[in-house]
Amino acid sequence: MAFDFIRTDLDEQKSKSRYRQLVCNHVVEQDGYIKVNGKTYLNFSSNDYLGLNNHLAINKALQEGADKFGVCSSSSSLVTGYHYAHQALEEDICQWLDKPKCLLFSSGYSANLALFHALGKSDNSQFFLDKLSHASMIDGAYQSKAKVKRFNHNNIEQLTKLLTNSGTSANKLVASEGVFSMDGCQAKVSDLATLAKSHQAWLYLDDAHSIGVIGDKGQGSNWLADIDITMATLGKAVATSGAFLTCNDELHDYLVNFSRHYIYSTAMSPAMAWASRKSIELIQKEQWRRDKITELSALFSDLLAPQVELVTTQSSIHAIIIGDEEKTIRVSEQLKKQGVWLTPIRPPTVAANTSRLRVTICSNHNTKDIKYLAECINKAIA
Ligand SMILES: Cc1ncc(COP(=O)(O)O)c(C=O)c1O
């Protein structure tokens, strides 16, 4: 049979309890619930950290954006796809993060590929990546021409050694996530910024899970230090879709002129850009959403039984490491029977033997939800 690796690989995936299937959610994620196959579940796997999905004002802005600019940009940005909605959103983001330039992408995945490809133009570039960096950063880095070195998670000492031994001539980029997607812990942002500067390296942070959640206005890692280049998806706390990258004027110009991911892709929906502006306005104003995550996360941690291995964090993401794929699926299925949705996270998304429940605590959960979640997890894991 042609392409018979397809069947072999799928069979192997099943035999390792790593097989994945799509599940269709039948309701808009509202108040922290989803509906699958006719049953409603409390959803603790969503990335809608601030509970802004389906917010009336954002929906209204989306409609207004569609009326003013259309749903579709109708071309790539350099042809005619760059609308006033995009320009206004970029300006808002520059102000919010206090950065000179911003560029929009249709997804965080493509923004990461674009950045690493652009800076990894030659083997005179060197990338230093935290080992837990997202797949899109790893793909971008290794598909580029740069030399790639990985440092152990948050290990500043090892990174210092790598930078010290890296010579003087190369273009160096230190890259990490701001908040790590599968663990929820934060990068040592100010240490990374200081270290990068002292080695004439640039610092790149993927703030997919920090934006909206970290900082007194939800500005993410830039609240903690001055980051040279920041990428964040709009599909998580901002609760719309697409992504942005902030940087200096020259890199912005360079990406506009040379990034194939930017140039040869239809610009993001202008209606979505307009809706994103409203969401970012709310994120800056509504500190109570971040306070709620902190308060509910502390409650969750207090209520868990001692045998539950929780990674404690300052973010919305709280990992409960179970280890084995099969056991993780079993616990997840048991929780489903109690009406709690927690998608099991397995390799290759996380390292072997670290399969886990990735609990996301969002501003649209309440005390009752968290008490119920902790009670169900304690029963399932004890
Ligand atoms: C850390 C990180 N970076 C990038 C992405 C990709 O962003 P997008 O979903 O907008 O493609 C994700 C997840 O989706 C992520 O978790």
Side-chain angles (χ1 to χ4, degrees), residues 229-371:
I229 312 163
T230 310
M231 193 291 291
T233 170
L234 299 170
K236 303 192 193 291
V238 180
T240 58
S241 182
F244 69 82
L245 202 143
T246 58
C247 59
N248 66 24
D249 291 79
E250 252 182 27
L251 178 57
H252 175 273
D253 257 9
Y254 186 79
L255 290 168
V256 169
N257 279 278
F258 296 107
S259 168
R260 296 170 73 82
H261 301 87
Y262 186 73
I263 298 168
Y264 299 109
S265 181
T266 303
M268 74 185 271
S269 157
M272 198 59 79
W274 204 246
S276 305
R277 294 188 73 203
K278 177 51 75 179
S279 178
I280 288 170
E281 183 192 317
L282 295 172
I283 288 173
Q284 293 182 73
K285 280 202 290 216
E286 298 189 346
Q287 175 60 28
W288 67 265
R289 294 180 186 274
R290 287 176 281 281
D291 293 341
K292 187 116 176 262
I293 293 171
T294 310
E295 181 196 316
L296 294 178
S297 298
L299 175 67
F300 179 55
S301 168
D302 286 350
L303 292 174
L304 285 180
Q307 66 269 33
V308 179
E309 209 183 309
L310 176 79
V311 181
T312 39
T313 73
Q314 307 290 308
S315 71
S316 265
I317 305 164
H318 305 277
I320 294 175
I321 314 290
I322 295 182
D324 175 67
E325 285 94 323
E326 254 177 73
K327 186 170 178 204
T328 310
I329 294 174
R330 233 179 17 249
V331 173
S332 162
E333 288 300 322
Q334 206 172 322
L335 290 169
K336 248 190 240 170
K337 286 189 192 134
Q338 311 299 314
V340 168
W341 192 277
L342 268 169
T343 306
I345 307 288
R346 294 160 285 163
T349 306
V350 291
N353 300 318
T354 70
S355 289
R356 65 195 63 190
L357 300 175
R358 174 184 178 269
V359 180
T360 55
I361 294 184
C362 306
S363 318
N364 54 358
H365 290 129
N366 59 40
T367 307
K368 194 167 144 247
D369 300 335
I370 302 301
K371 284 185 178 162

